[in-house]
Coordinates of all heavy atoms in Angstrom, one line a residue:
R113 N 28.4 125.0 -78.0 CA 27.2 125.7 -77.8 C 26.0 124.7 -78.0 O 26.0 123.9 -78.9 CB 27.1 126.8 -78.8 CG 26.1 127.8 -78.6 CD 26.3 129.0 -79.5 NE 25.2 129.0 -80.4 CZ 25.0 130.0 -81.2 NH1 25.8 131.1 -81.2 NH2 24.0 130.0 -82.0
T114 N 25.1 124.8 -77.1 CA 23.9 123.9 -77.1 C 22.7 124.5 -77.8 O 22.4 125.6 -77.4 CB 23.6 123.4 -75.7 OG1 24.7 122.9 -75.1 CG2 22.5 122.4 -75.7
H115 N 22.1 123.8 -78.7 CA 20.9 124.3 -79.3 C 19.7 123.4 -78.8 O 19.8 122.2 -78.8 CB 21.0 124.1 -80.8 CG 22.1 124.9 -81.4 ND1 21.9 126.3 -81.6 CD2 23.3 124.6 -81.8 CE1 23.0 126.7 -82.2 NE2 23.9 125.7 -82.3
W116 N 18.7 124.1 -78.2 CA 17.6 123.4 -77.6 C 16.5 123.1 -78.6 O 15.7 122.2 -78.4 CB 17.0 124.2 -76.5 CG 18.0 124.4 -75.4 CD1 18.6 125.6 -75.0 CD2 18.6 123.4 -74.5 NE1 19.5 125.4 -74.0 CE2 19.5 124.1 -73.7 CE3 18.5 122.0 -74.4 CZ2 20.3 123.4 -72.7 CZ3 19.2 121.4 -73.4 CH2 20.1 122.1 -72.6
H117 N 16.5 123.7 -79.8 CA 15.5 123.5 -80.8 C 14.1 123.6 -80.3 O 13.2 122.7 -80.6 CB 15.7 122.2 -81.5 CG 17.1 122.1 -82.1 ND1 17.5 122.8 -83.2 CD2 18.2 121.4 -81.8 CE1 18.7 122.6 -83.6 NE2 19.2 121.7 -82.7
G118 N 13.8 124.5 -79.4 CA 12.5 124.7 -78.9 C 12.0 123.7 -77.8 O 10.9 123.7 -77.4
R119 N 12.9 122.8 -77.4 CA 12.6 121.8 -76.4 C 13.0 122.3 -75.0 O 13.9 123.1 -74.9 CB 13.3 120.5 -76.7 CG 12.8 119.8 -78.0 CD 13.6 118.6 -78.4 NE 13.6 117.7 -77.2 CZ 14.5 116.7 -77.1 NH1 15.4 116.6 -78.0 NH2 14.5 115.9 -76.1
C120 N 12.3 121.8 -74.1 CA 12.6 122.1 -72.7 C 14.0 121.4 -72.3 O 14.2 120.3 -72.6 CB 11.5 121.6 -71.8 SG 11.9 121.8 -70.0
P121 N 14.9 122.2 -71.6 CA 16.2 121.5 -71.3 C 16.1 120.4 -70.3 O 17.0 119.6 -70.2 CB 17.0 122.7 -70.7 CG 16.0 123.7 -70.3 CD 14.8 123.5 -71.2
F122 N 14.9 120.2 -69.7 CA 14.8 119.1 -68.7 C 14.2 117.9 -69.4 O 14.0 116.9 -68.7 CB 13.8 119.6 -67.6 CG 14.4 120.8 -66.8 CD1 13.8 122.0 -67.0 CD2 15.5 120.7 -66.0 CE1 14.3 123.1 -66.3 CE2 16.0 121.8 -65.4 CZ 15.4 123.0 -65.5
D123 N 14.0 117.9 -70.7 CA 13.5 116.7 -71.4 C 14.6 115.7 -71.7 O 14.4 114.6 -72.0 CB 12.9 117.1 -72.7 CG 11.5 117.8 -72.5 OD1 11.0 117.7 -71.4 OD2 11.0 118.4 -73.5
R124 N 15.9 116.1 -71.6 CA 17.0 115.2 -71.9 C 17.7 114.8 -70.6 O 17.6 115.4 -69.5 CB 18.0 115.9 -72.8 CG 18.7 117.0 -72.3 CD 19.6 117.6 -73.4 NE 20.7 118.3 -72.9 CZ 21.9 117.8 -72.7 NH1 22.1 116.6 -73.0 NH2 22.9 118.5 -72.3
Q125 N 18.5 113.8 -70.7 CA 19.2 113.3 -69.6 C 20.5 114.1 -69.5 O 21.2 114.3 -70.4 CB 19.5 111.8 -69.7 CG 20.2 111.2 -68.5 CD 19.9 109.7 -68.4 OE1 19.2 109.2 -69.2 NE2 20.4 109.1 -67.4
W126 N 20.9 114.5 -68.2 CA 22.1 115.2 -68.0 C 23.2 114.4 -67.4 O 22.9 113.5 -66.5 CB 21.8 116.4 -67.0 CG 20.9 117.4 -67.6 CD1 19.6 117.3 -67.8 CD2 21.3 118.8 -67.9 NE1 19.1 118.5 -68.4 CE2 20.1 119.4 -68.4 CE3 22.5 119.4 -67.9 CZ2 20.1 120.7 -68.9 CZ3 22.5 120.8 -68.3 CH2 21.3 121.4 -68.8
S127 N 24.4 114.5 -67.9 CA 25.5 113.8 -67.3 C 25.9 114.6 -66.0 O 25.6 115.7 -65.8 CB 26.7 113.7 -68.2 OG 27.3 115.0 -68.4
S128 N 26.7 113.8 -65.1 CA 27.1 114.5 -63.9 C 28.1 115.6 -64.2 O 28.1 116.7 -63.5 CB 27.8 113.5 -63.0 OG 29.0 113.0 -63.7
W129 N 28.8 115.5 -65.3 CA 29.7 116.6 -65.7 C 28.9 117.9 -66.1 O 29.3 119.0 -65.6 CB 30.6 116.2 -66.8 CG 31.6 117.3 -67.3 CD1 32.8 117.6 -66.7 CD2 31.4 118.2 -68.4 NE1 33.3 118.6 -67.4 CE2 32.5 119.0 -68.4 CE3 30.4 118.4 -69.3 CZ2 32.6 120.0 -69.3 CZ3 30.5 119.4 -70.2 CH2 31.6 120.2 -70.2
E130 N 27.9 117.7 -66.8 CA 27.1 118.8 -67.2 C 26.4 119.5 -66.1 O 26.3 120.7 -66.0 CB 26.0 118.4 -68.3 CG 26.6 118.0 -69.6 CD 25.5 117.4 -70.5 OE1 24.7 116.6 -70.1 OE2 25.6 117.7 -71.7
V131 N 25.9 118.7 -65.1 CA 25.3 119.3 -63.9 C 26.3 120.1 -63.1 O 26.0 121.2 -62.7 CB 24.6 118.2 -63.1 CG1 24.1 118.7 -61.7 CG2 23.5 117.5 -63.8
T132 N 27.4 119.5 -62.8 CA 28.4 120.2 -62.0 C 28.9 121.5 -62.7 O 29.2 122.5 -62.0 CB 29.6 119.3 -61.6 OG1 30.2 118.8 -62.8 CG2 29.2 118.2 -60.8
V133 N 29.1 121.4 -64.0 CA 29.5 122.6 -64.7 C 28.4 123.7 -64.7 O 28.7 124.9 -64.5 CB 30.0 122.3 -66.2 CG1 30.2 123.6 -67.0 CG2 31.3 121.5 -66.2
A134 N 27.2 123.2 -64.9 CA 26.1 124.2 -64.9 C 26.0 124.9 -63.5 O 25.6 126.0 -63.4 CB 24.8 123.4 -65.2
L135 N 26.3 124.1 -62.4 CA 26.3 124.7 -61.1 C 27.5 125.5 -60.8 O 27.6 126.1 -59.7 CB 26.0 123.6 -60.1 CG 24.7 122.9 -60.1 CD1 24.7 121.8 -59.1 CD2 23.6 123.9 -59.8
G136 N 28.5 125.5 -61.6 CA 29.7 126.2 -61.4 C 30.8 125.4 -60.7 O 31.8 126.0 -60.3
W137 N 30.6 124.1 -60.5 CA 31.6 123.3 -59.8 C 32.4 122.5 -60.9 O 32.2 121.3 -61.1 CB 30.9 122.3 -58.9 CG 30.0 122.9 -57.9 CD1 30.2 124.1 -57.3 CD2 28.9 122.3 -57.3 NE1 29.2 124.3 -56.4 CE2 28.4 123.2 -56.4 CE3 28.2 121.1 -57.5 CZ2 27.3 123.0 -55.6 CZ3 27.1 120.9 -56.7 CH2 26.6 121.8 -55.8
H138 N 33.4 123.2 -61.5 CA 34.1 122.6 -62.6 C 35.0 121.4 -62.2 O 35.3 120.6 -63.0 CB 35.0 123.7 -63.3 CG 34.2 124.8 -63.8 ND1 33.4 124.7 -65.0 CD2 34.0 126.1 -63.4 CE1 32.8 125.8 -65.2 NE2 33.1 126.7 -64.3
L139 N 35.5 121.4 -60.9 CA 36.4 120.4 -60.5 C 35.6 119.3 -59.7 O 36.3 118.3 -59.3 CB 37.4 121.0 -59.6 CG 38.4 121.9 -60.3 CD1 39.4 122.5 -59.3 CD2 39.2 121.2 -61.4
A140 N 34.3 119.4 -59.5 CA 33.6 118.4 -58.7 C 33.7 117.0 -59.3 O 34.0 116.0 -58.6 CB 32.2 118.8 -58.5
D141 N 33.5 116.9 -60.6 CA 33.5 115.5 -61.2 C 34.8 114.9 -61.1 O 34.9 113.7 -60.7 CB 32.9 115.7 -62.6 CG 32.6 114.3 -63.2 OD1 31.9 113.5 -62.5 OD2 33.0 114.0 -64.4
P142 N 35.9 115.6 -61.5 CA 37.2 114.9 -61.4 C 37.6 114.5 -60.0 O 38.2 113.5 -59.7 CB 38.2 115.9 -62.0 CG 37.4 116.9 -62.8 CD 36.0 116.9 -62.2
I143 N 37.2 115.4 -59.0 CA 37.6 115.1 -57.6 C 36.8 113.9 -57.1 O 37.4 113.0 -56.4 CB 37.2 116.3 -56.7 CG1 38.2 117.5 -57.0 CG2 37.2 116.0 -55.2 CD1 37.9 118.8 -56.4
V144 N 35.5 113.7 -57.5 CA 34.8 112.6 -57.1 C 35.4 111.3 -57.7 O 35.5 110.3 -57.1 CB 33.3 112.7 -57.5 CG1 32.5 111.4 -57.3 CG2 32.7 113.8 -56.6
K145 N 35.8 111.4 -59.0 CA 36.4 110.2 -59.7 C 37.7 109.8 -59.0 O 37.9 108.6 -58.9 CB 36.6 110.5 -61.2 CG 35.3 110.6 -61.9 CD 35.5 110.9 -63.4 CE 34.2 111.0 -64.1 NZ 34.3 111.4 -65.5
I146 N 38.5 110.8 -58.6 CA 39.7 110.5 -57.9 C 39.5 109.8 -56.6 O 40.1 108.9 -56.2 CB 40.6 111.7 -57.8 CG1 41.2 112.1 -59.2 CG2 41.8 111.5 -56.8 CD1 41.8 113.5 -59.2
A147 N 38.5 110.4 -55.9 CA 38.1 109.8 -54.5 C 37.6 108.4 -54.7 O 38.0 107.5 -53.9 CB 37.0 110.7 -53.9
I148 N 36.8 108.1 -55.7 CA 36.4 106.7 -55.9 C 37.5 105.8 -56.2 O 37.6 104.7 -55.7 CB 35.3 106.7 -57.0 CG1 34.0 107.3 -56.5 CG2 35.0 105.2 -57.4 CD1 32.9 107.6 -57.5
T149 N 38.4 106.3 -57.1 CA 39.6 105.5 -57.4 C 40.5 105.2 -56.2 O 40.9 104.0 -56.1 CB 40.5 106.2 -58.5 OG1 39.6 106.5 -59.6 CG2 41.7 105.4 -58.9
V150 N 40.7 106.1 -55.4 CA 41.5 105.9 -54.2 C 40.8 104.9 -53.2 O 41.5 104.0 -52.7 CB 41.7 107.3 -53.4 CG1 42.3 107.1 -52.0 CG2 42.6 108.2 -54.2
A151 N 39.5 105.0 -53.1 CA 38.8 104.0 -52.3 C 38.9 102.6 -52.8 O 39.1 101.7 -52.1 CB 37.3 104.4 -52.2
I152 N 38.8 102.5 -54.1 CA 38.9 101.1 -54.8 C 40.3 100.6 -54.6 O 40.5 99.4 -54.3 CB 38.5 101.2 -56.2 CG1 37.0 101.4 -56.4 CG2 38.9 99.9 -57.0 CD1 36.5 101.7 -57.8
L153 N 41.3 101.5 -54.8 CA 42.7 101.0 -54.6 C 43.0 100.6 -53.1 O 43.7 99.7 -52.9 CB 43.7 102.1 -55.0 CG 43.8 102.3 -56.5 CD1 44.7 103.5 -56.8 CD2 44.3 101.1 -57.2
G154 N 42.4 101.3 -52.2 CA 42.6 101.0 -50.8 C 42.0 99.6 -50.5 O 42.7 98.8 -49.8
V155 N 40.8 99.3 -51.0 CA 40.2 98.0 -50.8 C 41.1 96.9 -51.5 O 41.3 95.9 -50.9 CB 38.8 98.0 -51.3 CG1 38.2 96.6 -51.3 CG2 37.9 98.9 -50.4
L156 N 41.5 97.2 -52.7 CA 42.3 96.3 -53.5 C 43.6 95.9 -52.8 O 44.0 94.8 -52.6 CB 42.6 96.8 -54.9 CG 43.5 95.9 -55.8 CD1 42.7 94.7 -56.1 CD2 43.8 96.7 -57.0
I157 N 44.3 97.0 -52.3 CA 45.6 96.7 -51.6 C 45.4 95.9 -50.3 O 46.2 95.0 -50.1 CB 46.3 98.1 -51.3 CG1 46.8 98.7 -52.6 CG2 47.5 97.9 -50.3 CD1 47.2 100.2 -52.5
G158 N 44.4 96.3 -49.5 CA 44.1 95.5 -48.3 C 43.8 94.0 -48.6 O 44.2 93.1 -47.9
T159 N 43.0 93.8 -49.7 CA 42.6 92.4 -50.0 C 43.8 91.6 -50.5 O 44.0 90.5 -50.1 CB 41.6 92.5 -51.1 OG1 40.4 93.2 -50.6 CG2 41.1 91.1 -51.5
V160 N 44.7 92.3 -51.4 CA 45.8 91.6 -51.9 C 46.8 91.2 -50.7 O 47.4 90.1 -50.7 CB 46.6 92.4 -53.0 CG1 47.9 91.9 -53.3 CG2 45.7 92.5 -54.2
R161 N 47.0 92.2 -49.8 CA 47.8 91.9 -48.6 C 47.3 90.7 -47.8 O 48.1 89.9 -47.4 CB 48.0 93.2 -47.8 CG 49.0 93.0 -46.6 CD 48.9 94.2 -45.7 NE 47.6 94.3 -45.1 CZ 46.8 95.4 -45.0 NH1 47.3 96.5 -45.6 NH2 45.7 95.4 -44.5
D162 N 46.0 90.7 -47.5 CA 45.4 89.6 -46.7 C 45.6 88.3 -47.4 O 45.9 87.3 -46.8 CB 44.0 89.9 -46.4 CG 43.8 91.1 -45.5 OD1 44.8 91.5 -44.8 OD2 42.6 91.6 -45.4
I163 N 45.3 88.3 -48.7 CA 45.5 87.0 -49.5 C 46.9 86.6 -49.5 O 47.2 85.4 -49.3 CB 44.9 87.2 -50.9 CG1 43.4 87.4 -50.9 CG2 45.4 86.0 -51.8 CD1 42.8 87.7 -52.2
Y164 N 47.9 87.5 -49.6 CA 49.3 87.1 -49.6 C 49.6 86.5 -48.3 O 50.3 85.4 -48.2 CB 50.1 88.4 -49.9 CG 51.6 88.1 -49.7 CD1 52.4 87.4 -50.6 CD2 52.3 88.5 -48.5 CE1 53.7 87.2 -50.4 CE2 53.6 88.2 -48.3 CZ 54.3 87.6 -49.3 OH 55.6 87.3 -49.1
W165 N 49.3 87.1 -47.2 CA 49.6 86.6 -45.8 C 48.9 85.2 -45.6 O 49.5 84.3 -45.0 CB 49.2 87.6 -44.7 CG 50.1 88.7 -44.6 CD1 49.8 90.0 -45.0 CD2 51.5 88.7 -44.3 NE1 50.9 90.8 -44.8 CE2 51.9 90.1 -44.4 CE3 52.4 87.7 -43.9 CZ2 53.2 90.4 -44.0 CZ3 53.7 88.1 -43.5 CH2 54.1 89.4 -43.6
E166 N 47.7 85.1 -46.1 CA 47.0 83.8 -46.0 C 47.7 82.7 -46.8 O 47.9 81.6 -46.3 CB 45.6 83.9 -46.4 CG 44.7 82.7 -46.1 CD 44.6 82.5 -44.6 OE1 44.5 83.4 -43.8 OE2 44.4 81.3 -44.2
L167 N 48.2 83.0 -48.0 CA 48.9 82.1 -48.8 C 50.2 81.7 -48.2 O 50.7 80.6 -48.4 CB 49.0 82.6 -50.3 CG 47.8 82.7 -51.1 CD1 48.1 83.4 -52.4 CD2 47.2 81.3 -51.3
M168 N 50.9 82.6 -47.6 CA 52.2 82.4 -47.0 C 52.1 81.8 -45.6 O 53.1 81.5 -45.0 CB 53.0 83.7 -46.9 CG 53.4 84.3 -48.2 SD 54.5 83.2 -49.2 CE 53.5 82.9 -50.6
D169 N 50.8 81.5 -45.2 CA 50.5 81.0 -43.9 C 51.2 81.8 -42.8 O 51.9 81.2 -41.9 CB 51.0 79.5 -43.8 CG 50.3 78.7 -42.7 OD1 49.3 79.2 -42.2 OD2 50.8 77.7 -42.3
A170 N 51.1 83.1 -42.9 CA 51.8 84.0 -42.0 C 51.1 84.1 -40.6 O 50.0 83.9 -40.5 CB 51.9 85.3 -42.7
V171 N 52.0 84.4 -39.7 CA 51.5 84.7 -38.3 C 52.0 86.1 -38.0 O 53.1 86.5 -38.4 CB 52.1 83.6 -37.4 CG1 51.7 83.9 -35.9 CG2 51.6 82.2 -37.8
D172 N 51.2 86.8 -37.2 CA 51.6 88.1 -36.7 C 52.9 88.0 -36.0 O 53.1 87.3 -35.1 CB 50.5 88.7 -35.8 CG 50.7 90.1 -35.4 OD1 51.6 90.7 -36.0 OD2 50.0 90.5 -34.5
P173 N 53.9 88.9 -36.4 CA 55.2 88.8 -35.8 C 55.2 89.1 -34.2 O 56.0 88.5 -33.5 CB 56.0 89.9 -36.5 CG 55.3 90.1 -37.8 CD 53.9 89.8 -37.5
S174 N 54.3 89.8 -33.8 CA 54.2 90.0 -32.3 C 53.8 88.8 -31.6 O 54.2 88.6 -30.4 CB 53.2 91.1 -32.0 OG 51.9 90.7 -32.4
L175 N 53.1 87.8 -32.2 CA 52.8 86.6 -31.6 C 54.0 85.7 -31.5 O 54.2 85.0 -30.5 CB 51.7 85.8 -32.4 CG 50.3 86.4 -32.4 CD1 49.4 85.6 -33.3 CD2 49.7 86.5 -31.0
V176 N 54.9 85.7 -32.5 CA 56.1 85.0 -32.4 C 57.0 85.5 -31.3 O 57.6 84.7 -30.5 CB 56.9 85.0 -33.8 CG1 58.2 84.3 -33.7 CG2 56.0 84.4 -34.9
D177 N 57.1 86.8 -31.1 CA 57.8 87.4 -30.0 C 57.3 87.0 -28.7 O 58.0 86.7 -27.7 CB 57.8 89.0 -30.1 CG 58.6 89.5 -31.4 OD1 59.5 88.7 -31.9 OD2 58.3 90.6 -31.8
Q178 N 56.0 87.0 -28.6 CA 55.3 86.6 -27.4 C 55.6 85.1 -27.0 O 55.9 84.7 -25.9 CB 53.8 86.8 -27.5 CG 53.1 86.5 -26.2 CD 51.6 86.7 -26.3 OE1 51.1 87.1 -27.4 NE2 50.8 86.4 -25.3
V179 N 55.6 84.2 -28.0 CA 56.0 82.8 -27.8 C 57.4 82.7 -27.3 O 57.7 81.9 -26.4 CB 55.7 82.0 -29.1 CG1 56.4 80.6 -29.0 CG2 54.2 81.9 -29.4
E180 N 58.3 83.4 -28.0 CA 59.7 83.4 -27.5 C 59.9 83.9 -26.1 O 60.6 83.3 -25.3 CB 60.6 84.2 -28.5 CG 60.8 83.5 -29.8 CD 61.6 84.4 -30.8 OE1 61.8 85.6 -30.5 OE2 61.9 83.9 -31.9
H181 N 59.2 84.9 -25.7 CA 59.2 85.4 -24.4 C 58.7 84.4 -23.4 O 59.3 84.2 -22.3 CB 58.5 86.8 -24.3 CG 58.4 87.3 -22.9 ND1 59.5 87.8 -22.3 CD2 57.4 87.4 -22.0 CE1 59.1 88.2 -21.0 NE2 57.8 87.9 -20.9
E182 N 57.6 83.8 -23.7 CA 57.0 82.8 -22.8 C 57.8 81.6 -22.6 O 57.9 81.0 -21.6 CB 55.6 82.4 -23.3 CG 54.5 83.6 -23.2 CD 54.3 84.0 -21.8 OE1 54.3 83.2 -20.9 OE2 54.0 85.2 -21.6
A183 N 58.5 81.2 -23.7 CA 59.4 80.0 -23.7 C 60.6 80.3 -22.8 O 61.0 79.4 -22.1 CB 59.8 79.7 -25.1
T184 N 61.1 81.5 -22.8 CA 62.3 81.8 -21.9 C 61.9 82.1 -20.5 O 62.8 82.2 -19.7 CB 63.1 82.9 -22.6 OG1 62.3 84.1 -22.7 CG2 63.7 82.5 -23.9
A185 N 60.7 82.3 -20.2 CA 60.2 82.7 -18.9 C 60.2 81.6 -17.9 O 60.2 81.8 -16.7 CB 58.8 83.4 -19.0
G186 N 60.3 80.4 -18.4 CA 60.2 79.2 -17.5 C 61.5 79.0 -16.7 O 62.6 79.4 -17.2
D187 N 61.5 78.3 -15.6 CA 62.7 78.0 -14.8 C 63.6 77.0 -15.6 O 63.1 76.0 -16.1 CB 62.3 77.4 -13.5 CG 61.6 78.4 -12.6 OD1 61.9 79.7 -12.8 OD2 60.8 78.0 -11.7
G188 N 64.9 77.3 -15.6 CA 65.8 76.4 -16.2 C 66.0 76.6 -17.7 O 66.7 75.8 -18.3
V189 N 65.3 77.5 -18.3 CA 65.4 77.8 -19.8 C 66.4 79.0 -19.9 O 66.1 80.1 -19.4 CB 64.0 78.1 -20.4 CG1 64.2 78.4 -21.9 CG2 63.1 77.0 -20.2
C190 N 67.4 78.7 -20.7 CA 68.4 79.8 -20.9 C 68.0 80.7 -22.1 O 68.1 81.9 -22.0 CB 69.8 79.2 -21.2 SG 70.4 78.3 -19.8
R191 N 67.6 80.1 -23.2 CA 67.2 80.9 -24.3 C 66.3 80.1 -25.3 O 66.4 78.8 -25.2 CB 68.4 81.5 -25.1 CG 69.2 80.5 -25.8 CD 70.4 81.1 -26.5 NE 71.1 80.0 -27.2 CZ 72.0 80.1 -28.1 NH1 72.3 81.3 -28.5 NH2 72.5 79.1 -28.6
A192 N 65.6 80.7 -26.1 CA 64.8 80.1 -27.1 C 65.1 80.8 -28.4 O 65.0 82.0 -28.5 CB 63.3 80.2 -26.8
T193 N 65.4 80.0 -29.4 CA 65.7 80.6 -30.7 C 64.8 80.1 -31.8 O 64.3 78.9 -31.7 CB 67.1 80.4 -31.2 OG1 67.4 79.0 -31.2 CG2 68.1 81.0 -30.2
S194 N 64.5 80.9 -32.8 CA 63.7 80.5 -34.0 C 62.4 79.8 -33.6 O 62.1 78.7 -34.1 CB 64.6 79.6 -34.9 OG 64.8 78.4 -34.4
A195 N 61.6 80.5 -32.9 CA 60.3 80.0 -32.6 C 59.4 80.1 -33.9 O 59.5 81.0 -34.7 CB 59.6 80.8 -31.5
A196 N 58.7 79.1 -34.1 CA 57.8 79.0 -35.3 C 56.4 78.7 -34.9 O 56.1 78.0 -33.9 CB 58.3 77.9 -36.3
E197 N 55.4 79.4 -35.5 CA 54.0 79.2 -35.2 C 53.2 79.0 -36.4 O 53.6 79.5 -37.5 CB 53.6 80.5 -34.5 CG 53.1 80.3 -33.1 CD 52.6 81.6 -32.5 OE1 51.5 82.1 -33.0 OE2 53.3 82.2 -31.7
R198 N 52.1 78.4 -36.3 CA 51.2 78.2 -37.4 C 49.8 78.5 -36.8 O 49.5 78.2 -35.7 CB 51.2 76.8 -37.9 CG 52.5 76.5 -38.6 CD 52.4 75.2 -39.3 NE 51.4 75.3 -40.3 CZ 51.6 74.8 -41.5 NH1 52.6 74.2 -41.8 NH2 50.6 74.9 -42.4
E199 N 49.0 79.1 -37.7 CA 47.6 79.4 -37.3 C 46.8 78.1 -37.4 O 47.0 77.3 -38.1 CB 47.0 80.5 -38.2 CG 47.5 81.8 -37.8 CD 46.7 82.9 -38.5 OE1 45.5 82.8 -38.5 OE2 47.3 83.9 -38.9

């Protein structure tokens, strides 16, 4: 229970939880916090994946397939195995 002691309720600072509860949106604050957490995790996962591929000096697998296909497309070439590429 809140006691105002004769002060105006707008004289104090309100937290986001108090505002959403006052407006009747009891789940708004937890939902927003979960959405922010998911967004941060998405950025973190993407960044970690990119750094991992850069550290491993990785090349897109479709480029390796394309190199193998182009290598075997020439006249007199029977097959090409274990193509390696570097960026």
Side-chain angles (χ1 to χ4, degrees):
R113 195 167 111 168
T114 305
H115 298 282
W116 298 111
H117 301 291
R119 295 176 50 200
C120 176
F122 300 108
D123 287 345
R124 68 185 204 92
Q125 186 153 358
W126 291 71
S127 71
S128 63
W129 180 82
E130 290 172 319
V131 171
T132 57
V133 169
L135 293 174
W137 302 331
H138 300 286
L139 293 177
D141 194 47
I143 290 171
V144 168
K145 289 178 181 179
I146 289 170
I148 291 171
T149 302
V150 168
I152 290 171
L153 287 175
V155 170
L156 178 67
I157 290 169
T159 302
V160 168
R161 185 188 62 232
D162 291 344
I163 290 172
Y164 172 78
W165 286 111
E166 189 65 33
L167 289 174
M168 296 295 119
D169 198 21
V171 177
D172 185 13
S174 65
L175 291 176
V176 175
D177 293 338
Q178 184 180 357
V179 167
E180 289 176 350
H181 174 71
E182 293 296 326
T184 58
D187 291 334
V189 179
C190 295
R191 69 179 182 167
T193 58
S194 67
E197 240 183 74
R198 292 188 64 135
E199 282 191 43

